[in-house]
Amino acid sequence: MIVIMGATGATGGALLERLADSGVPCRALSREPNRLHGKVFNRAGVDVRQADARDPDSLRAAFRGATQLFLTMTNSPDQVELETRAIEIAAECGIDHVVKLSAPTAAADSPVAIARWHHTIEEALRGSGMAHTILHPYAFMQKLLLLAPQIAAHRIITGTMGTAACNFIDCRDIADVAAAALTRSEIAGGTYTLTGSQTYSYPQITEQLSALLGVPIRYIDLSPRDFRTELVQRSGMPEWLADHVVEIQRLAATHPERPTETVAGILGRPPRTLESFLSENLDVFTQLEPATVDHSR
Ligand SMILES: NC(=O)c1ccc[n+]([C@@H]2O[C@H](COP(=O)([O-])OP(=O)(O)OC[C@H]3O[C@@H](n4cnc5c(N)ncnc54)[C@H](OP(=O)(O)O)[C@@H]3O)[C@@H](O)[C@H]2O)c1
């Protein structure tokens, strides 16, 4: 039995679809399991459970009897505490393999605070005695959908990474790699840096969106300080998260990113492209309100 944390999220949701399609028994967790019932209703082999990482007893009940865990968590200031606790409870419940969704540049000296958090969680996992597979994916294409209201209302994207080359990856490819690690022994146990097959700058993304939507979309480059102010004021983003977005964009600007061959090497096919992701989701970029998107498609 495989437990999927974050089964309502972009990557966990796609993993749930893959495992259910393949008939692999799995247990899908959410703090609000009603969000999953419609999606997996009557799917053979899928067990839906309520669990909250802030409630250790709910994790114990959800992990008991399982052998593998897919561990992912929304970023929050207590992410290290919550994921570390989940790791301890997984070991206590007899889980023997954890696939952890981490982040690029996860290291003790990373300039990105959330990457340092992930490093701390990885260290806890390495010290847990359980087998582990660690995924280091770059920026999720699915998060570009959060820019839709700004694009629809003002036909602009703002940022602070100039013309830097940036790796993007479709969460469905991350989920396919996670499924491989959970079902193929030769993939389990690795640490994988996951990207698409080419990099894109924000000016290149706006060029593609302009062509696809038939209207001009512009990229406006701001200073890190102005971009941070804009994130906090425009979208009401918490300050710690705005700091993260600025840090990650500045890192891309100072350390140009390069694609890896890892996804193709594991899956035997090229990663999904940004062009096809944008084309599939064009309707979202014309909506003023953030849309509910089925990430598992
Ligand atoms: N965004 C990127 O471009 C990017 C790039 C590289 C790495 N990452 C990493 O990927 C991870 C996932 O990020 P995301 O923003 O994409 O998240 P997400 O997949 O949208 O959501 C993750 C899941 O966390 C679950 N969750 C939140 N709080 C929880 C709690 N207290 N107990 C149990 N489950 C909880 C949510 O489930 P419920 O609400 O259903 O309970 C949700 O399904 C993060 O650790 C991030 O650092 C992100």
Side-chain angles (χ1 to χ4, degrees):
M1 174 63 78
I2 298 171
V3 176
I4 306 173
M5 289 193 76
T8 55
T11 306
L15 175 63
L16 173 59
E17 287 286 327
R18 295 302 166 277
L19 296 181
D21 286 349
S22 314
V24 177
C26 53
R27 193 175 286 161
L29 309 192
S30 171
R31 288 167 298 174
E32 299 170 63
N34 285 345
R35 292 167 63 199
L36 287 168
H37 279 130
K39 198 169 167 183
V40 294
F41 186 65
N42 271 350
R43 297 290 296 262
V46 179
D47 178 17
V48 173
R49 297 276 184 97
Q50 195 280 339
D52 185 336
R54 292 191 166 81
D55 172 4
D57 286 341
S58 72
L59 285 190
R60 274 185 201 99
F63 290 176
R64 217 162 273 137
T67 51
Q68 301 194 80
L69 168 67
F70 176 71
L71 175 61
T72 183
M73 188 84 63
T74 314
N75 294 134
S76 71
D78 53 359
Q79 184 171 2
V80 173
E81 182 191 333
L82 296 181
E83 288 202 38
T84 303
R85 182 185 302 152
I87 289 166
E88 285 166 9
I89 294 173
E92 179 191 312
C93 290
I95 283 178
D96 50 35
H97 177 213
V98 176
V99 176
K100 164 157 170 61
L101 184 57
S102 182
T105 77
D109 60 353
S110 173
V112 178
I114 289 180
R116 296 196 295 276
W117 299 355
H118 278 296
H119 171 75
T120 305
I121 299 163
E122 288 182 16
E123 287 290 279
L125 184 54
R126 284 187 272 271
S128 70
M130 294 181 288
H132 46 273
T133 304
I134 295 176
L135 308 180
H136 288 165
Y138 272 84
F140 299 172
M141 291 181 192
Q142 277 73 5
K143 296 292 172 184
L144 290 171
L145 301 174
L146 298 177
L147 303 174
Q150 190 187 37
I151 292 170
H154 307 294
R155 295 185 180 171
I156 56 166
I157 293 178
T158 48
T160 187
M161 59 180 172
T163 58
C166 191
N167 281 317
F168 287 89
I169 180 159
D170 191 313
C171 288
R172 293 169 296 184
D173 286 335
I174 307 171
D176 287 344
V177 170
L182 290 161
T183 56
R184 291 166 52 193
S185 58
E186 76 277 18
I187 305 301
T191 295
Y192 300 111
T193 299
L194 306 176
T195 72
S197 47
Q198 70 178 92
T199 56
Y200 299 86
S201 66
Y202 266 12
Q204 287 171 323
I205 293 174
T206 50
E207 205 174 295
Q208 280 193 32
L209 272 174
S210 301
L212 288 166
L213 290 167
V215 291
I217 314 287
R218 285 181 308 130
Y219 170 63
I220 299 179
D221 199 50
L222 301 174
S223 71
R225 190 186 169 138
D226 288 350
F227 183 47
R228 184 186 185 282
T229 303
E230 204 220 35
L231 289 174
V232 173
Q233 288 175 359
R234 167 169 56 86
S235 51
M237 194 178 271
E239 298 202 355
W240 64 267
L241 189 54
D243 286 338
H244 173 62
V245 175
V246 170
E247 279 171 4
I248 209 111
Q249 292 208 5
R250 289 315 299 158
L251 188 67
T254 52
H255 296 75
E257 297 174 1
R258 285 181 205 86
T260 66
E261 302 288 325
T262 315
V263 169
I266 292 174
L267 301 179
R269 60 156 178 83
R272 292 170 173 84
T273 64
L274 187 70
E275 288 83 344
S276 68
F277 176 79
L278 294 178
S279 300
E280 274 179 70
N281 290 288
L282 261 196
D283 55 330
V284 178
F285 290 104
T286 60
Q287 293 166 19
L288 290 170
E289 294 298 321
T292 305
V293 178
D294 181 358
H295 294 298
S296 61
R297 284 183 298 171

